[in-house]
Every structure is written in structure tokens, then in C-alpha cells.
Amino acid sequence: MKFVCALLFAVALATPTAAETILIRDGRVVTNSAAGVIESGDVLITDGRIAALGANIAAPRGARVIDAQGRYVTPGAFAAMSELGLSEISGSGAPNDASVEGGLVAAAVDAAQAFNPNVTAVAVTRLEGVTRAAIAPSGTANMFGGRGALVTLNGAAESVLRPRAFMVLELGETGAERTGSSRASLWPAFEAALRDAREYPGRYRSGQGGAVLNELDAEALAPFARGQGLFLVHVESAADIRRLIRFKRDNPSLRFAIHGGAEAWQVASELAGAGIPVIVDPLSNLPDRFERLSARSDNAALLHRAGVRIAIAPAPGSVDAHQARLALQLAGNAVVNGLSWDAAFAAVTRGPADLFGVGDRLGRLERGYLADVVIWDGDPLDVMSAPTAVLIEGEEQPMVSRQTRLRDRYNPTRAR
Amino acid sequence: MRLRWIAVAAACLALAACATTGADTADAERDGRVPYASTYTPRPSAPTLIRGATVLNGAGAELANADVLMRDGRIAAVGQNLEADDGVAVIDGRGKFVTPGIIDVHSHLGVYPSPSISATSDGNEATQPNAAEVWAEHSVWPQDPGFGRAVAGGITTLHILPGSANLFGGRGVTLRPVLGANTVQEMKFPGAPQSLKMACGENPARVYGERNSSPATDMGNVAGYRASFIEAQAYDRRVQAHENGDGEAPDRNLELETLAGVLNGDILLQWHCYRSDEMATAIEVAHEFDFEIAAFHHAVESYKIADLLAEEGICSAMWADWWGFKIEAYDAIRENIPFVHAAGACAIVHSDSEVGIQRLNQEAAKALADGRRAGLTITRAEAWTWLSRNPARALGIEEETGTLEVGRRADVVVWSADPLSTYAVAERVFMDGASVYEPGRGQEHFSDFELGQSYREGAQ
């Protein structure tokens, strides 16, 4: 009997309670929309969505009221690039689905098929106010990193928000390294791959085969090569970015966003003109690679000023499975380096949502939007702050992770 | 006899200059200078008074509306309403925060510099598990652009270590980030002892295990430490006996000189060790051979044995929140630093990163905030001890720097706001009382490597 009760209790904990009506009262509500910041604002959540925003909203009957006590109430953060859910531990010979080896598939790599919502990093990341993430493996044998996914960090069994949401593409040093060790061979190979994909399945059925792609990769690449999906392109140097802009000019139907872009500030107006957004790392300020010789701390601010759409996440090479939550610290450092607070906060919430095509339901606190809402004990971009409550689609998330369990076991202020 | 006296004198000189072990001797006489010694010279400085700031003194105290007077490169006074004599430059510190310069005990700047390519990868002599004979300073490239970025983050002293591929990685060196230096000798912190880098755990076992050689396991690691210290004891006994007039001096052996330096306490041991059980075993090894451990580095499980570490007087150099990248970092918690502090043990925030070193104050802030949320009462002034006094202690330079006590080197940072936050930036950095960094005044430093690149000209 005891066991059954415990089981029922566990089921109750795990069952979505999206139907719950919640009124968050008296917050400093950052909407990321035309409404701006609503001081002493209320947020009403019904059926997992934002039902109303404003001042002095009356609590509907049966609603649970959370008093925000004047604290920040914001949309959940969106990790614009991560390996979250692709490994429990990255190294040590532990299984790591973020690391694709061999040449079996590249473009066909499918992050959604590897995502595990039960890895402990999901809870660790969610505790910090991150409710969604774009994920992809870190590398394959060629220029195509494979198809990334958008995921929800509620730990639910079905928490892939959108599989095959973007195609990772290496068109800088890394891409060159994997394609004949030279950009001079990378670009012809890339263009041939696009032709293969556009001519899929015809040339494969006819037995002609691809010039550079196997059939699996050609099939995976086909929609992207036809403009039906986003290429997330890792390029860093101004020269590589210019090549991409030229290519986009000649292939206007293709959709590109840049990840990295350390030297993007040098070509900011061209990027704005080409409508190519950039996922930028405000901590990337060292000439640690030859393609990043002019990396500088105010890259985000300069791009924003020029009208380039930005998101903030760790640079390629710094992306990992455990620290996606640090995007907020990165955004705070962008503020230190000249970006406005509003733009920096948007770059870890609305920016990624827009960039990955889910900006119509995520990234803002607006009527009808999914109720990913975070209440903070201070300024969310200050490292001293942390969430006091995290809601995903209207469900309040447990503020517990493997780390907090260890903390509680060893906390010297608690009797053991 | 004469030779012995020279050796002793040279050894004293060496200790004063850079605390190399006494063996590098005969050459010293030849040109009157100890080989490898520091040639660091502080920049010229004027007496400077910072007025009316919030001072976190690095020793755990916060002083409101306080003044800091620097004179002749040293802290001359800290207090309220200090007099400014003629010729004293006055800085308005109202609304600002003043702290000792940050000291990073774990950096690979210069040995793994930017740009990172195979030819610049000089941090791991991963050719044999005991590489105690190598010195990190002989790999340091002074033009690493990372040094300039570190100063902008308030760093005034940093300890450069070899990597962790080996059981014995080699000697570490304490440096000043002297911008524009062309030799490592110009950067060496005068009088600072050298260290020995050792490594526990996965790294050496992986590097050598993959080559089918020893060590391939944790137990192989420990056997490796012990075998080498047995050799070092025998070597040291022969050196001592010879110095007491008994028997021939052994042939010089760079590897054993380093280990003997650890046994004698001249060389401070900095031991890469993540897990609590491995730290405890390392402590057993130290007891077996009667040497001291200055600090465990990357000590992500120190919180589990904080009392033991306090009792042993061993510092823990820690990240605020790195975790999960390998299994020995799996039990990392965000409260590691504050829990170690709460046990009365020596807690240090370290970087191990050319990025992290630029904002170690933010890492301390995270640890402080997480500790408070866990119920601990820790002041921001106490948190600053993790960034300056405690690392100075682990590096054996506590009498020279790390706090704003009178007589210490005037290594001082003026922050735009409370430095335990994201938003504070270093507005002034002083090293030995000399202003070495002031953004917007042409003191941002670009290394030789960065000059003349097409982008850099005309950039701010």
C-alpha cells in the first residue's frame, strides 16, 4: 500500500499540470515585446500559455498566486547552441553522443535521435532559468555537422520541440581542415554537395550517385539545399564571412545564420544587408585561432548597432554539454562591453527563438505565447542572481538537481 | 671548502632572487648573476592616494569611505582622511571599489598561448611520466596576447604551470604580467619560490595507459609518485652528506633536484587532484615522504574533505562551477568554494583558462552568491581573500602581496562598481604602485603578435 501511494505520488509529480492557472503578481516583467518592461506587473498563465499581462490582474477562481515581490519576471532563456542532453559526462571514455566518429553519416546526423531528457545537466541548466536549447553534436568527419534539434528542458519523455531544425555547416578553419585541409577545396566540395542534394533522389536512383555525398547525407541535406531549412554556419574570419555573404547573394533562397563570427564586427553592415543573423560569444576576445585574429569584446554591441540580428552563446569550440546556463553570464558581459541590457537579454531569449523559427511562441511574454517564465532573485544578467522559480509551459519546475542534492548532503549549515 | 661557501652563498642568492634550488651554483660566480633569476623592475611610480573608496583589503575586511596611499611601490597607509602631501597624485575613489590585484594560481598563459597551434603548444612535456626536470618558464612566450587581457581583468600576479599529462609535470613559475616584456626573466616575481606541478587521476593514467606504459591506473600513479620520491630522498641524502663534508656530491640531476626541492620545502607543491579520495591518498604520500602540499588544484571535491584540508593546512584552488567534462569532475557543486571556506580551510578561485582569468572576480561572485543561498554568512570582503591573500599564501608570496596591509607591494585595482558582480570593470590597475592599465588612456596593450594585422590598425 505504501508502495502504491509512493508510486501514485511519483506519477502525480511527473504528470503535466499544464491546466493549472497561475497568476504571478507584482513582478518587474520583462516582456521582450512592444510592451517593454512592466513595473509591478502581473502575468496570468492558463493552459500553459500566457493569458494576460498587465497591472492588477484579478486572480481567476482557483488560480495559484505567486508573489514575485517586485523581482524580475522574464521569459525563459534559450541556449542558442549546446550539446545538452547528448552526454552525461563528456570525457573519460564515457559514452558521448555529441562526438560523431567515422564517415558513416555527416549531414544525416540527427541530434534529436540522441537527445536524452534525463541527463542531469538538463536539471542543472534549467535551475538557472534556461528552458529551451538548440543542440547539435560537435563534429563529424566532414563540413556538415548534421541536423540540430530544438529541445525543451522540462525533462519530459517527449521534449524534443523540433527535430532537424537546422543544419550545422563548417565553412571556416574547421571545415577546411576536414575537407582537404584548405578552403580552396572546401568551397568546391560544398557547392558539389549542394548539387548532389538538390538532385536527390534522381541521380542516386539512376545509379549515378553523388559527386561528394552518399545517399543518406544527400537525402538529409536536400531540404536545406532547397531553402527549406536553416544552415547554421560556423565561420569566424571577416574573409570567410564575406565569402558566405557573396554566396548568399548568388543563392538567395538559401537561409543562413552564423555561429562564431568573431570578426563579424568588421563586416557588420554587409551582414545586416544580407539579413544574416549571428550567434556571438562576448567572451571571445583573443586571437586564439588565425580565423579569430581580430576578436574583440564589443563584437555583440557593434553588430547590434549595425542592425545585425544577434543571439548570444558560447563560440564553437567552447560549446559543451554542461554549461549552457552560462549564456546569461555571457550576455551580462556583453552589457559591460557596450550592448544595452535589453538587447543583451533579448539575445539569450527572443533572439535564439526568432533565429530558429519559433519566435511566434517563445522568447517573449505576450498573450498566447508558451508560458516559459522565470522569476529571479536579482538582475538575471548579473552572476550574483539566480532564479527562484522556473515555469515551462505553465508548469512550475522542481528546483532540484544532482548538484543541489550533493550540496544538501554536504552543506555545513545542516546537521548530517 | 671555498667551493662550498660559494655554493651556500649562491644558494642564498638563489633563494632571494628566485628560490631555485642550491644546485645551480658554479655559473653564478662566473658572471655575478644567478642564472634564470628575475630581472623584473617595477615601472616608475609617483606617490598616489585613492580617496573615499570602498576598500576590500584582501585580508577579509571591508572599509567604507577609505583612502589607500601608495608610495615607493608599496602600500603606505590605508584609512580615513589620509593627508595628501605635495606631489601625491590623488584619485577620486568615491563610488568605486579598491581591492588588491587578483592572483591566479593556475594559468597556462605563455605556455599555451594564443594563437593556439601545434607549434605553440608548449605546456606538456608528455614524453615521460616524471618530467620534474622541465621548467614552465622555459616555455613561456612573453608575447602571448593573453597577458594583456588578464591585466585588464585586474590580474597583477599569476602562476604558470605545466600541464597535467604527467605525474610530475615540471616546475611552475610566478609571474608579473609585464606588458611589453621580451623575456620571461623580466616577468618573474622577485623572490617567489618555484613550484612543482603534480597530477592525480585520469590524465596521467590516460596519457601513459594509452601507450601501454606506466602509469595506466590510479594505483600506478601512486606507485610512480612513491618510486620517484624514494629516489629523491636518496639523492638528497647524498647532497646533504656532501655539504656536511661527507662523500662526493652526486652528479647533478635536474629531475631529482626538483623533487629534493620539494622535500626541503624550497619548491612548493601544486597538485592537480579532483577527487576527495585521491587528495586523501596524496596527503598520505606527503606524510610518507615528509613534504608539504601547498595546494590541490581543480579540487572539485574539496567540499567532501574540507575539515581534513583545514587540518592539514592545504589550500584548494577551485573553479566556481566547472563540472561534468569528465568523471572526476562529476561531483562538482557550485558551493565547493564557500563550503571549503566555511570549514576554515584555504579557498582559492583559479582559472586554468585564458578566458576565465579575465574575470575571476565574477567567478568569486558566483561562489559567494551560491554560498549565501546555501545558508552561509560570507561577506564580500571575505570572498576577496579567495582572489588575493589565499593564492598569495599558496604561492609563498603572502608577505609580499595579496592584501592591502602596509608594507605590501602596491598591487591595487580600482573597480567601477562592486567587483562581486558582472558589471564591475577594472578602471585602474597598479603593480608595485605604478599604473599599468587604464582603459581609454592608451594603456590597453596589444602584444607584438597583434600589431600590424590589417584589422588592428584603427581599431580602438
Side-chain angles (χ1 to χ4, degrees):
Chain A
M1 186 58 199
K2 217 167 159 186
F3 173 73
V4 173
C5 284
L7 200 66
L8 281 175
F9 183 62
V11 168
L13 274 182
T15 303
T17 50
E20 191 181 19
T21 297
I22 296 175
L23 179 66
I24 300 171
R25 212 167 233 167
D26 184 26
R28 181 167 203 275
V29 181
V30 178
T31 66
N32 272 351
S33 70
V37 176
I38 308 172
E39 302 287 352
S40 306
D42 301 342
V43 181
L44 180 65
I45 298 164
T46 57
D47 296 324
R49 291 186 181 262
I50 309 286
L53 287 146
N56 303 315
I57 296 175
R61 196 139 52 109
R64 186 155 66 90
V65 177
I66 300 175
D67 185 357
Q69 300 174 309
R71 291 166 165 170
Y72 278 85
V73 175
T74 73
F78 196 131
M81 184 44 70
S82 173
E83 295 169 6
L84 187 58
L86 298 179
S87 71
E88 181 64 41
I89 289 163
S90 320
S92 306
N96 183 356
D97 291 329
S99 170
V100 177
E101 287 176 17
L104 185 63
V105 291
V109 159
D110 187 351
Q113 305 276 16
F115 177 65
N116 178 359
N118 295 330
V119 303
T120 59
V122 166
V124 169
T125 306
R126 180 177 65 221
L127 275 176
E128 297 287 321
V130 182
T131 59
R132 311 279 171 164
I135 61 164
S138 54
T140 64
N142 68 32
M143 77 193 84
F144 296 105
R147 295 168 294 178
L150 308 183
V151 298
T152 304
L153 304 188
N154 58 2
E158 301 300 329
S159 46
V160 173
L161 173 69
R162 179 175 292 178
R164 306 173 180 188
F166 55 95
M167 173 66 69
V168 176
L169 174 59
E170 296 280 352
L171 288 179
E173 274 179 21
T174 305
E177 227 168 77
R178 295 180 193 162
T179 318
S181 266
S182 166
R183 290 170 176 85
S185 65
L186 168 66
W187 274 87
F190 171 54
E191 292 177 28
L194 287 179
R195 279 194 301 275
D196 283 353
R198 284 179 190 136
E199 291 169 16
Y200 173 87
R203 62 187 295 161
Y204 292 85
R205 300 250 163 99
S206 71
Q208 181 191 2
V212 292
L213 292 186
N214 67 34
E215 189 169 350
L216 282 174
D217 284 345
E219 181 188 12
L221 188 61
F224 298 91
R226 292 173 180 137
Q228 292 153 13
L230 177 73
F231 283 105
L232 188 59
V233 189
H234 174 204
V235 279
E236 302 277 6
S237 74
D240 286 338
I241 294 170
R242 284 200 185 94
R243 261 188 288 275
L244 182 69
I245 292 171
R246 278 198 297 273
F247 188 77
K248 161 83 177 163
R249 201 181 301 141
D250 297 340
N251 297 270
S253 69
L254 298 186
R255 296 169 49 211
F256 296 106
I258 288 172
H259 181 206
E263 298 187 352
W265 62 271
Q266 288 189 60
V267 286
S269 55
E270 294 99 306
L271 279 168
I276 299 177
V278 183
I279 301 174
V280 59
D281 182 346
L283 304 191
S284 178
N285 70 344
L286 279 165
D288 57 341
R289 303 166 64 115
F290 277 89
E291 62 184 349
R292 296 207 275 238
L293 285 181
S294 77
R296 51 189 283 175
S297 303
D298 53 358
N299 194 17
L302 295 172
L303 290 171
H304 179 71
R305 200 173 304 156
V308 179
R309 288 190 291 138
I310 60 167
I312 286 175
S318 304
V319 170
D320 71 5
H322 298 89
Q323 300 284 62
R325 59 191 190 77
L326 295 182
L328 289 142
Q329 184 180 3
L330 267 50
N333 280 279
V335 175
V336 172
N337 290 289
L339 190 63
S340 72
W341 190 96
D342 289 354
F345 189 71
V348 289
T349 48
R350 189 184 71 207
D354 287 345
L355 190 149
F356 290 112
V358 290
D360 58 345
R361 71 204 78 163
L362 285 166
R364 297 165 171 78
L365 297 184
E366 224 176 279
R367 197 181 145 81
Y369 270 62
L370 294 175
D372 285 17
V373 185
V374 182
I375 307 174
W376 304 81
D377 65 7
D379 173 351
L381 298 188
D382 188 344
V383 283
M384 293 291 283
S385 308
T388 58
V390 178
L391 286 76
I392 296 180
E393 295 186 34
E395 269 185 73
E396 193 162 357
Q397 304 294 309
M399 300 300 276
V400 177
S401 71
R402 184 170 180 276
Q403 291 190 340
T404 66
R405 301 270 299 174
L406 276 164
R407 173 197 69 197
D408 295 346
R409 172 172 284 184
Y410 289 94
N411 190 333
T413 70
R414 295 185 179 207
R416 292 231 196 121
Chain B
M1 189 65 192
R2 184 173 163 271
L3 256 179
R4 251 185 67 206
W5 275 111
I6 288 168
V8 170
C12 292
L13 247 181
L15 198 63
C18 67
T20 54
T21 48
D24 33 283
T25 50
D27 289 345
E29 189 198 18
R30 210 168 294 145
D31 59 6
R33 180 179 163 269
V34 177
Y36 314 109
S38 168
T39 59
Y40 169 79
T41 342
R43 286 195 195 174
S45 62
T48 304
L49 179 67
I50 306 165
R51 266 214 173 117
T54 302
V55 174
L56 311 179
N57 75 352
E62 174 169 336
L63 310 160
N65 190 25
D67 306 342
V68 176
L69 179 64
M70 301 180 272
R71 190 189 292 282
D72 300 327
R74 299 270 167 174
I75 302 291
V78 178
Q80 288 189 328
N81 304 315
L82 299 181
E83 292 289 320
D85 305 341
D86 287 351
V88 173
V90 176
I91 294 173
D92 184 357
R94 283 173 300 176
K96 318 281 186 194
F97 281 66
V98 174
T99 68
I102 297 173
I103 300 172
D104 188 0
V105 296
H106 197 115
S107 171
H108 300 298
L109 288 181
V111 301
Y112 284 119
S114 297
S116 169
I117 52 175
S118 58
T120 62
S121 178
D122 281 324
N124 263 316
E125 183 65 26
T127 53
Q128 67 212 22
N130 186 345
E133 72 277 14
V134 304
W135 295 15
E137 63 195 76
H138 298 150
S139 274
V140 169
W141 183 45
Q143 296 295 342
D144 183 350
F147 288 116
R149 307 294 196 279
V151 173
I155 296 284
T156 52
T157 302
L158 69 174
H159 191 67
I160 310 301
L161 287 163
S164 54
N166 298 322
L167 299 178
F168 300 89
R171 294 194 197 188
V173 63
T174 298
L175 297 181
R176 292 296 216 179
V178 177
L179 307 181
N182 279 307
T183 70
V184 73
Q185 289 76 26
E186 290 168 72
M187 303 173 75
K188 287 180 73 167
F189 194 108
Q194 290 179 306
S195 74
L196 170 64
K197 167 76 176 287
M198 288 179 62
C200 289
E202 290 185 35
N203 290 9
R206 173 176 46 82
V207 168
Y208 293 96
E210 280 173 1
R211 298 175 197 174
N212 236 348
S213 65
S214 183
T217 59
D218 283 349
M219 58 189 172
N221 289 347
V222 176
Y225 310 140
R226 298 174 75 202
S228 290
F229 276 115
I230 289 169
E231 258 188 277
Q233 279 182 329
Y235 180 82
D236 193 41
R237 271 196 298 272
R238 288 181 62 197
V239 172
Q240 303 284 348
H242 170 68
E243 285 180 2
N244 293 328
D246 181 12
E248 293 248 320
D251 286 345
R252 285 191 63 190
N253 180 310
L254 293 176
E255 187 182 293
L256 294 173
E257 277 177 11
T258 297
L259 298 190
V262 171
L263 294 174
N264 295 328
D266 299 332
I267 292 178
L268 304 183
L269 183 49
Q270 311 292 344
W271 205 331
H272 157 125
C273 224
Y274 284 68
R275 269 176 21 201
S276 58
D277 57 318
E278 293 181 345
M279 288 187 251
T281 299
I283 289 169
E284 298 294 329
V285 174
H287 286 303
E288 180 182 0
F289 296 97
D290 194 25
F291 59 80
E292 311 240 315
I293 300 166
F296 287 119
H297 290 235
H298 316 333
V300 301
E301 288 189 10
S302 278
Y303 69 95
K304 297 184 182 182
I305 52 163
D307 292 342
L308 173 65
L309 294 165
E311 192 184 305
E312 294 281 337
I314 300 172
C315 292
S316 299
M318 298 165 280
W319 298 292
D321 56 10
W322 288 23
W323 77 285
F325 48 95
K326 50 183 173 171
I327 193 141
E328 58 191 7
Y330 191 45
D331 285 2
I333 62 170
R334 312 271 288 286
E335 296 77 10
N336 191 24
I337 292 165
F339 283 4
V340 169
H341 172 86
C346 164
I348 294 169
V349 183
H350 75 347
S351 81
D352 190 26
S353 158
E354 68 281 13
V355 175
I357 195 172
Q358 300 181 41
R359 49 193 72 78
L360 274 180
N361 59 309
Q362 292 179 23
E363 301 307 297
K366 286 191 274 191
L368 172 63
D370 288 324
R372 285 175 175 171
R373 279 187 209 101
L376 297 172
T377 305
I378 304 174
T379 66
R380 58 191 175 190
E382 287 173 322
W384 203 269
T385 64
W386 308 338
L387 294 170
S388 62
R389 185 197 59 196
N390 293 355
R393 180 177 295 171
L395 297 178
I397 51 174
E398 195 183 359
E399 301 302 314
E400 286 293 311
T401 187
T403 71
L404 299 182
E405 289 163 276
V406 171
R408 296 283 194 272
R409 290 174 181 271
D411 300 339
V412 176
V413 181
V414 181
W415 300 89
S416 61
D418 180 354
L420 280 312
S421 97
T422 301
Y423 298 121
V425 294
E427 289 187 338
R428 301 293 298 267
V429 179
F430 295 88
M431 216 184 289
D432 287 310
S435 176
V436 295
Y437 175 71
E438 188 180 2
R441 295 287 181 88
Q443 286 193 316
E444 298 88 345
H445 183 78
F446 296 113
S447 81
D448 289 356
F449 175 74
E450 297 178 275
L451 290 185
Q453 309 273 14
S454 60
Y455 60 85
R456 191 60 74 191
E457 308 296 323
Q460 293 275 312

